[in-house]
Amino acid sequence: MTSQASLTAAAPLLRPSLALPLPLRFALRELRGGLRGFVVFLACIALGVAAIAAVGSVSRAMTDGLARQGQSILGGDIAFTLVQRQAAHDELRFLEHHGAVSEIASLRGMARLPDGSDQALVEIKAVDAAYPLYGTLKAAEDVDATAALNAGRALADPELFTRLGLKPGDEISIGATRLTLAGAIADEPDKLATGLGFGPRLLMSKTALEATGLVQPGSLVQWSYRLRLPHGAPDSAVTSLTDTANEDFPKAGWQIRSRDDASPGLKRNIGQFAQYLTLVGLAALIVGGVGVANAVGAFMEVKRPVIATLRSLGAPGRLITQIYLIQILLIALIGVAIGLAIGAMVPVIALRFLADVLPVGAQTGFYPGALAYAALYGLMTALTFALVPLGRAGDIAPTALFRDGAAYGKSRPRLAFLGLAILSAAVLAGLAVLLAYDRRIAIYFVVAVAGAFLLLRIVALVVTALARRAPRARSAEWRLAIGNIHRPGALTGSVVLSLGLGLTVLVTIALIDGNLHRQLTQSLPDRAPSFFFLDVQNSEAPAFIDFLKKEVPTGTVESVPMLRGRIIALNQTPADQVTPAPDVAWALKGDRGVTFSAEPPKNSRLVEGEWWPADYAGPPLVSMEAGVARGLGVKPGDTVTVNVLGREITATIANLREVAWESLAINFVMVFSPSTFAGAPYSVLATLSYPGGAEPAREAALMRDTGKEFPAVTAIRVREALDRISSILDQLMLAIRVASSIALAASVLVLAGALAAGHRQRLYDAVILKTLGATRRQLLYAFGLEYGLLGLATAIFAVLAGSLAAWGVVAGVMKQPFAVFPVTAIAAALIAVALTIGLGLAGTWRLLGQKAAPVLRNL
């Protein structure tokens, strides 16, 4: 059997002058017959490319939104932030000399109903008359927001109205005063700059804040000074002002941000989250690569008579390979184009529906860079997985015309093509690393994928070997099922590889999700404090602790002094010139809580160095958390310089501690010797732990009584804080689960393609067995057993590999206890078995109805 196109085009083979255009001409003629057999190929490439393109486009839309709205998000062209102190007179005059200045105070507080029956933690933001320098503050009701603040009233997030059952015009108690709520905040232009906290926003004027009495020496208040430069000031003016401020006030201790980096934390989070989703999309694409290999292999089998005909007419193997390589690349381009079209449309739809929940205004657009990356990934994946089966095309001999394809064994791929496939895979891995936001994570991903492919290959070989050595079963159906697993041309390798990687990704995500929720909702509250109390003034700390002991006689009360400080140098090297380990880079960003103590803190143990004597009064010493210290490259004997309350303090590292952070007990990265902060104003951080936990009603009553006795104290109920974190985690994990389901969808497509590739051999099996007397029920049972055994083997691997990967993330990266959830393992097994049996029998059912005579004639 030969194709008309092959016979028509045979004559030009005798003319060497036309050899160069022949591969493309043949490839285009072959494609006239359509893309039958390449549906899975196209779907796999399109699915992976669409996922990567969509993630890249959405992240670019958000980062571009940050850049476009930098002034509004920051609240100025440049912002100077101080902790626990306001700007000095000369510092403020310096800022006012360069433009309009707006002063903003941010702190936590408790909003209470006037009768004290209920309260809620709020993030207070006090603004001056110049606020906002950029953007517009809007209230949900028909209220002039600026006029309301100037009149001494307040605005609040809608969440606070819902939480306390309030409405516009109602009063709330804040500290020592009462405020009238004018309305709900509809648009706060600089919300990201002042940070997102554990409670709803409460917006008031600076005058109203002074009346609350919350600002005391040592209070945890953040003061931000936004500066609006003259209209049209270039970026160079911002850079120059930053340098001048650091030179003129080297010990100010302020953190400076500019309009081109208005929210570095959000930008970093967008980049990291986009990378995780991109890697999941790339995993889906690589899973789809298995489908590409299966589809190309099946295509080569179908084209065997055509190739044999061309070889019999004198076509060299090189020409055959070129023809079909061009075809594969053209088909891959079609799949990439489909994926890019979907990926470009997804952000338009997604951003429209998510506009109300996104933290920054993201405008849809066309992002050629993100689409180009996705296209490059798609083409490289198609090429990598197509090379090995293509390498067999040139070895098909003319004798294949006289031998049936089902009985014709597969030849080994040429070493040259195997080498090219390995080189292409290395290029693909290099792209994944070079284009990643965090290259360390990307390297882990590449190693994990390579390891998964190797292990899946080993699993397939082990399953085949076990089936070959299995004792002879009495049941004919069992003998047929086991025989199908280890015979030549079996589907074992394809099924295990097709389903294994996607299912492993799904198990990994499910276990990480389960462990994080377990830590937040089950394990931690049992041993964690019930309350954290902030802003307890040093002068009222004894009375407050006595109050807690009186209210909860059986409870455990702990308290420590607390200040805020920022690391500005390590061993006299400025912090911005230090390259920390990625997992501790946060220690050099912004302010950290610090304390001082004569004794080692609880829930920690010394691992290096010695603690100072209880009566130590010498030069400043500091104890650092061991992991952070090692990540920063410091050890006992080195020095750390911190800026606290505008004062630079250089302390020698005396020892390193390991801290049990999961206990949620009071602890700090840096603990100083007591004499370090002699005479400095500070507040007290206190915790209260109920023996065996407390009922919500008792906790609410304690919060109410605390508010009456100590209105300036901020009470944070750990249960509420964990619920808020859990809610945020749910949203993040939902996005990750959706992305991981793409990898599983690719696995299903590949599995369907692998089963379809074995269609011809299954047809011969079914016809011969029916001719020998087998019934349709027996064949369905035998095939179902085969698919079920393969699915079970794949599920066992996925559970083991997924558990290992999740353990590495949870225990290795997050440093949290790890637990395996049996339900997840059972669900993975059921999914794998159901998919393999369902898809396998769906294709087999149609084969069982085929007439025997047409098939037997070709044997």
Side-chain angles (χ1 to χ4, degrees):
M1 297 293 292
T2 60
S3 70
Q4 186 64 35
S6 302
L7 293 174
T8 304
L13 290 171
L14 304 178
R15 290 178 289 180
S17 61
L18 297 179
L20 285 178
L22 271 181
L24 181 59
R25 291 170 57 192
F26 268 87
L28 292 175
R29 288 182 181 181
E30 290 256 0
L31 288 177
R32 291 176 185 174
L35 300 177
R36 184 179 180 183
F38 283 95
V39 175
V40 173
F41 182 118
L42 289 171
C44 289
I45 295 296
L47 189 64
V49 170
I52 296 174
V55 170
S57 296
V58 170
S59 63
R60 279 295 306 274
M62 294 184 67
T63 52
D64 285 0
L66 281 173
R68 284 192 301 267
Q69 304 170 43
Q71 290 174 321
S72 296
I73 292 173
L74 184 64
D77 293 295
I78 188 168
F80 299 80
T81 302
L82 295 166
V83 177
Q84 290 187 290
R85 76 173 185 92
Q86 291 179 267
H89 180 69
D90 55 341
E91 294 169 341
L92 190 57
R93 286 191 59 185
F94 169 81
L95 298 178
E96 292 173 343
H97 176 72
H98 289 87
V101 178
S102 174
E103 183 185 45
I104 295 173
S106 302
L107 67 159
R108 290 188 178 94
M110 299 299 297
R112 300 179 174 89
L113 296 179
D115 60 2
S117 60
D118 201 359
Q119 60 279 311
L121 176 69
V122 292
E123 300 287 341
I124 299 173
K125 178 176 176 180
V127 301
D128 59 10
Y131 174 86
L133 296 178
Y134 290 100
T136 304
L137 176 67
K138 298 178 181 178
E141 294 77 12
D142 188 16
V143 174
D144 186 329
T146 302
L149 293 178
N150 292 337
R153 293 183 292 171
L155 299 172
D157 276 345
E159 180 184 348
L160 183 62
F161 286 87
T162 303
R163 170 72 187 278
L164 297 181
L166 299 168
K167 62 183 183 300
D170 288 346
E171 287 188 339
I172 55 173
S173 295
I174 300 289
T177 191
R178 289 187 179 184
L179 289 175
T180 301
L181 293 176
I185 302 172
D187 186 12
E188 182 185 353
D190 61 334
K191 184 174 184 179
L192 293 176
T194 43
L196 304 177
F198 289 110
R201 174 82 74 222
L202 181 64
L203 196 58
M204 65 180 68
S205 66
K206 282 181 57 183
T207 304
L209 177 63
E210 293 172 0
T212 64
L214 296 177
V215 180
Q216 300 291 334
S219 297
L220 298 180
V221 185
Q222 177 176 281
W223 298 91
S224 181
Y225 298 85
R226 281 80 175 277
L227 181 62
R228 183 177 62 198
L229 298 177
H231 180 71
D235 292 339
S236 59
V238 176
T239 304
S240 176
L241 179 57
T242 300
D243 295 338
T244 302
N246 287 327
E247 291 174 2
D248 292 355
F249 303 94
K251 297 184 179 181
W254 48 30
Q255 182 182 13
I256 304 176
R257 283 189 290 160
S258 61
R259 63 195 180 193
D260 60 347
D261 197 16
S263 185
L266 178 60
K267 186 177 181 180
R268 183 171 59 254
N269 291 337
I270 291 173
Q272 291 174 340
F273 194 57
Q275 172 176 312
Y276 295 144
L277 295 184
T278 298
L279 291 180
V280 173
L282 186 56
L285 195 55
I286 293 173
V287 171
V290 181
V292 170
N294 291 338
V296 173
F299 180 66
M300 292 295 98
E301 289 297 317
V302 172
K303 291 298 181 180
R304 182 181 296 276
V306 176
I307 296 172
T309 301
L310 292 174
R311 292 301 305 276
S312 67
L313 293 175
R318 179 180 178 183
L319 177 62
I320 300 298
T321 303
Q322 290 174 350
I323 292 172
Y324 290 102
L325 177 61
I326 292 174
Q327 286 193 52
I328 297 304
L329 290 179
L330 290 175
I331 295 172
L333 283 173
I334 296 174
V336 168
I338 296 173
L340 292 179
I342 298 173
M345 291 172 56
V346 166
V348 177
I349 300 172
L351 294 177
R352 180 172 299 176
F353 284 99
L354 299 177
D356 294 336
V357 299
L358 290 177
V360 61
Q363 298 182 6
T364 57
F366 182 72
Y367 301 97
L371 299 181
Y373 288 154
L376 186 58
Y377 281 136
L379 289 174
M380 288 302 302
T381 301
L383 180 63
T384 299
F385 286 90
L387 280 172
V388 171
L390 274 174
R392 300 188 179 100
D395 295 330
I396 296 177
T399 54
L401 284 169
F402 307 103
R403 301 178 66 180
D404 186 80
Y408 195 81
K410 289 185 177 181
S411 61
R412 293 175 178 268
R414 294 183 181 180
L415 291 178
F417 283 89
L418 189 59
L420 286 174
I422 294 174
L423 178 62
S424 180
V427 172
L428 182 61
L431 287 173
V433 174
L434 290 175
L435 300 178
Y437 182 89
D438 186 336
R439 292 180 180 176
R440 181 177 62 104
I441 299 296
I443 291 174
Y444 290 161
F445 169 81
V446 169
V447 172
V449 169
F453 267 91
L454 178 62
L455 289 174
L456 285 168
R457 179 60 179 165
I458 294 174
V459 169
L461 293 175
V462 170
V463 171
T464 301
L466 290 176
R468 186 177 293 115
R469 290 169 174 76
R472 181 178 177 83
R474 294 184 178 181
S475 167
E477 292 87 349
W478 275 95
R479 289 199 303 272
L480 179 59
I482 295 173
N484 284 343
I485 292 176
H486 67 78
R487 70 177 183 182
L491 296 175
T492 305
S494 297
V495 171
V496 171
L497 192 58
S498 302
L499 190 59
L501 194 56
L503 200 61
T504 300
V505 172
L506 195 67
V507 171
T508 302
I509 297 299
L511 287 176
I512 292 174
D513 185 13
N515 274 275
L516 291 180
H517 277 92
R518 175 177 172 271
Q519 290 299 314
L520 288 174
T521 60
Q522 298 178 19
S523 299
L524 288 178
D526 293 338
R527 58 180 182 273
S530 300
F531 285 97
F532 279 82
F533 298 98
L534 307 178
D535 297 318
V536 181
Q537 295 303 309
N538 185 33
S539 59
E540 66 178 3
F544 180 72
I545 293 174
D546 289 341
F547 164 79
L548 291 180
K549 291 181 177 179
K550 179 181 177 181
E551 292 292 320
V552 189
T554 58
T556 301
V557 180
E558 296 182 359
S559 63
V560 296
M562 181 176 178
L563 302 94
R564 301 289 293 183
R566 181 162 59 93
I567 298 176
I568 61 174
L570 298 170
N571 289 324
Q572 306 304 318
T573 302
D576 56 3
Q577 298 179 20
V578 175
T579 303
D583 57 339
V584 300
W586 54 267
L588 300 181
K589 294 181 173 67
D591 298 282
R592 305 265 74 81
V594 298
T595 188
F596 54 89
S597 175
E599 299 177 352
K602 296 181 179 179
N603 297 294
S604 65
R605 67 182 184 90
L606 293 183
V607 294
E608 192 173 350
E610 296 181 357
W611 197 263
W612 45 82
D615 57 351
Y616 179 79
L621 297 177
V622 63
S623 171
M624 290 194 69
E625 198 277 329
V628 173
R630 290 163 185 157
L632 296 178
V634 293
K635 61 185 182 304
D638 292 339
T639 61
V640 176
T641 302
V642 296
N643 187 294
V644 180
L645 298 173
R647 173 187 168 198
E648 290 187 6
I649 298 173
T650 299
T652 301
I653 299 176
N655 57 72
L656 303 181
R657 293 168 293 118
E658 284 186 353
V659 179
W661 297 110
E662 67 274 9
S663 68
L664 284 188
I666 301 177
N667 228 311
F668 296 83
V669 170
M670 293 181 289
V671 179
F672 289 83
S673 54
S675 59
T676 304
F677 300 110
Y682 62 86
S683 61
V684 172
L685 171 64
T687 63
L688 171 65
S689 301
Y690 284 89
E695 298 177 357
R698 292 181 61 189
E699 292 183 345
L702 178 62
M703 290 183 69
R704 182 173 59 251
D705 295 339
T706 301
K708 293 178 180 178
E709 296 292 331
F710 300 91
V713 172
T714 300
I716 299 178
R717 187 156 52 174
V718 173
R719 191 183 306 276
E720 291 182 357
L722 293 177
D723 288 344
R724 194 173 186 89
I725 295 174
S726 181
S727 175
I728 297 173
L729 181 64
D730 284 339
Q731 298 175 28
L732 295 177
M733 294 306 298
L734 176 61
I736 294 176
R737 282 194 294 269
V738 170
S740 64
S741 67
I742 296 176
L744 185 61
S747 293
V748 173
L749 285 171
V750 174
L751 177 62
L755 295 173
H759 171 91
R760 196 176 186 192
Q761 183 64 54
R762 294 286 165 171
L763 177 60
Y764 284 115
D765 291 345
V767 167
I768 292 174
L769 290 171
K770 286 175 64 178
T771 303
L772 295 176
T775 64
R776 177 174 294 189
R777 186 195 65 80
Q778 288 177 311
L779 292 177
L780 282 175
Y781 183 44
F783 289 147
L785 285 174
E786 176 192 353
Y787 299 137
L789 290 173
L790 292 178
L792 183 60
T794 304
I796 293 173
F797 167 81
V799 170
L800 293 177
S803 299
L804 182 62
W807 171 81
V809 173
V810 174
V813 178
M814 299 180 179
K815 308 297 182 184
Q816 297 293 329
F818 178 76
V820 177
F821 299 97
V823 174
T824 301
I826 295 173
L830 292 177
I831 290 174
V833 173
L835 285 175
T836 48
I837 292 178
L839 291 174
L841 293 184
T844 303
W845 179 263
R846 187 164 51 90
L847 296 179
L848 297 180
Q850 295 287 331
K851 300 292 184 181
V855 177
L856 293 175
R857 291 193 197 104
N858 292 324
L859 290 178

